[in-house]
Amino acid sequence: MAISAATKAATDALAVNRAPTSVNAQEVHRWLQSFTWDFDKNRTKYPTKYKMANDTKEQFKLIAKEYARMESVKDERQFGSLQDVLTRVDAGNKVHPKWNETMKIISNFLEVGEYNAIAATGMLWDSATSPEQKNGYLAQTLDEIRHTNQCGYVNYYFTKHGQDAAGHNDARRTRTIGPLWKGMKRVFSDGFISGDAVECSINLQLVGEACFTNPLIVAVTEWAAANGDEITPTVFLSIETDELRHMANGYQTVVSIANDEAASKYLNTDLNNAFWTQQKYFTPVLGMAFEYGSHFKVEPWVKTWNRWVYEDWGGIWIGRLGKYGVESPASLRDAKKDAYWAHHDLFLLAYALWPTGFFRLTLPTKEEMDWFEENYPGWYDHYGVIYEEWRARGCEDPNSGFIPLMWFIENNHPIYIDRVSQVPFCPSLCKGASTLRVHEYNGKKNTFSDDWGERMWLSEPERYECQNMFEQYAGRELSEVIAELHGVRSDGKTLIAQPHTDKDGKMWTLDDIKALNCVFSDPVDAL
Amino acid sequence: MSNNANSYGAGIMAKTGKEFADEYFAEENQVVHESNDVVLVLKKSDEMNIIVDEILLGDRKDDNPTLVIEDRAGYWWLKATGKIEVDCEEAAEILGKEFSVYDFLVDVSSTIGRAYTLGETFTITSELMGLDRKLENLDAA
């Protein structure tokens, strides 16, 4: 009877290498190589303009048994700590209230990123032709499932054992009210799973994971610990133990295309687009979360960024690849300016738009203002004076009848949304690398904040159709939108979002917002 | 802690305020500069604490004098020029139990550089593995 080529290959391999009875995992990995799996001519649903080499390696020589054993040990340690020691010492209630709010943003958003990374790495598994490269991507798919559960568990834990559950328990239901979710989905969803498969790998693995998971998942644990949070370090450092393999996958993606002519044509543009896409959101949002969402400061965000993004990712990953034609991202100068100022710009807008969020924000105290001025000279004259004015007008108190959004309107500082990143910006106030530019397309005006997003939009305008909140809710009153889109707590009237974390402070309700008569209008109509 | 150039707070990180901003925004720092350093993040655990104390800062301290290890709350932060290697057979002996390279990976939280395993050795190197040098299989070791 004729046998298939695969069966013959297996039989031949077994004839040469008899099935061992007791070997270590690395020997099993070597043995598996001899099966001569051939995916070279496989068709894929997810093509790429690059040719991925068929002999690309996976750096950690994983086999399924060792993978499963490693991950089960990680889970035992994580859940054991959480459910035994940390619960017994009431860790959830020892977290500083400001940081408790910050984790509503970080853990919920990371969960979405991990979820989309499941699809992204499944796609890469389908696109690659090297057996070892596929093996690395497949393990990553399993990792991303684990991470999605871990992030969900952080919010579950904070909800069950911590303080102020609203926003931890079901943040997703508020996703269409404010602008933060949409920007996050641009980097964590669209950037990872839409378009050319290798471009997605560059976004997810070479930039998102090799660069930004270090501040997002590693450095964040220092801020957490400093602010009384022992839960986040326990979970996030466990998540990151898988990320090193993901970074290696991203590097091996580049290795696999290094000898392809397409790499010399496209790689630097794709890398720059990915870097800008990821930094445009991560840089201001993480900086805001760390500095404005903490009571105890670890170091200025710009230093964290300079270490992990500029010196380490830039020098050790991208700089070393220079001799293979990889260039310093053209957008780096603007990214560095953003790392210094954009998180301050964003907090100004986030606080002004606080009713559209799913977390509580706090104005900087006098002590914090001094810290900001010391580390960002010029901060007080630009931002500090505004916060003092808002505080003097009673912005934290519902009886004041004032939310800072009104200040922007009174002082003619229009807020726009960047079409590509979905990040809001105020051209007349920002100190980051944002300036207003407008393009009309299909009868619709589109606003942009920077050269790099504008260039991406000009080459693919149909990709960036997402409606922003000003377009979506134009003509509608704010409290009506918040109520309809689930922005209230379980009593049905108190907002999830609040402009303070004072447990004795009065909470804003739908009636308080309704009394302001804030009606959405689209600022592009005036352009 | 160390005053080594690889320290967490070395170079520009030691500066504050305007002095930091001047260097950060300096023209020569608007492009990336190639670095031969590597960074390793080890999640604190019984095993990692012993490996740091007894091996990396103990028996193997002289292997790479550029190595800096700092305590960053939940993790150990390591930076060195060239490479960092951990022999898990040596670790097993000190730990007094079976400890494979996969057990070591349980608590390796991040790597900046090219990290790989070969046999029972974990390596992170500034070399471009797969480009400058091939990744080896066990039988070629």
Side-chain angles (χ1 to χ4, degrees), chain A residues 59 61 214 240 333 336, chain B residues 24 27 102 107 109-110 115:
Chain A
Q59 294 170 208
K61 300 184 175 62
N214 283 318
E240 194 72 5
R333 180 188 299 272
K336 289 195 77 172
Chain B
Y24 176 82
E27 190 57 33
Y102 300 100
D107 289 316
S109 266
S110 190

Side-chain angles (χ1 to χ4, degrees), chain A residues 288-420:
Chain A
M288 180 181 84
F290 287 6
E291 291 187 350
Y292 291 89
S294 64
H295 179 72
F296 300 102
K297 316 297 183 203
V298 173
E299 67 177 357
W301 161 244
V302 66
K303 284 193 174 179
T304 306
W305 196 96
N306 190 67
R307 174 183 302 108
W308 294 102
V309 177
Y310 177 63
E311 291 187 350
D312 291 350
W313 179 79
I316 299 173
W317 284 114
I318 304 307
R320 289 286 287 134
L321 287 165
K323 63 182 172 181
Y324 290 93
V326 175
E327 296 168 1
S328 180
S331 59
L332 181 64
R333 180 188 299 272
D334 286 342
K336 289 195 77 172
K337 191 175 179 189
D338 273 357
Y340 202 91
W341 291 117
H343 60 298
H344 305 300
D345 294 336
L346 185 65
F347 183 74
L348 200 65
L349 302 185
Y351 197 86
L353 294 165
W354 71 259
T356 67
F358 59 98
F359 40 81
R360 302 168 71 163
L361 294 173
T362 311
L363 282 178
T365 61
K366 172 72 174 63
E367 186 185 15
E368 287 175 319
M369 286 195 180
D370 291 344
W371 185 87
F372 280 121
E373 179 60 29
E374 187 182 329
N375 289 292
Y376 300 95
W379 180 91
Y380 176 80
D381 286 344
H382 192 79
Y383 306 98
V385 291
I386 297 174
Y387 295 133
E388 286 184 343
E389 184 181 342
W390 291 356
R391 181 175 275 125
R393 290 179 67 174
C395 65
E396 295 164 334
D397 181 1
N399 296 327
S400 68
F402 171 71
I403 60 171
L405 182 59
M406 296 156 75
W407 180 93
F408 277 80
I409 296 165
E410 292 164 9
N411 291 282
N412 193 28
H413 289 302
I415 299 169
Y416 301 95
I417 307 281
D418 177 57
R419 176 67 70 199
V420 172

Side-chain angles (χ1 to χ4, degrees), chain A residues 78-92 94 157 230:
Chain A
Q78 174 195 287
F79 289 111
S81 303
L82 287 166
Q83 290 170 348
D84 179 19
V85 183
L86 294 178
T87 301
R88 187 152 40 82
V89 301
D90 194 22
K94 291 180 177 165
Y157 193 91
E230 296 298 340

Side-chain angles (χ1 to χ4, degrees), chain A residues 414-416 425 427 436-440 445-448 522-527:
Chain A
I415 299 169
Y416 301 95
F425 67 107
L436 177 65
R437 62 277 320 269
V438 184
H439 288 284
E440 197 163 330
K445 283 179 185 164
N446 301 274
T447 51
F448 305 88
D522 191 349
V524 300
D525 293 341
L527 294 173

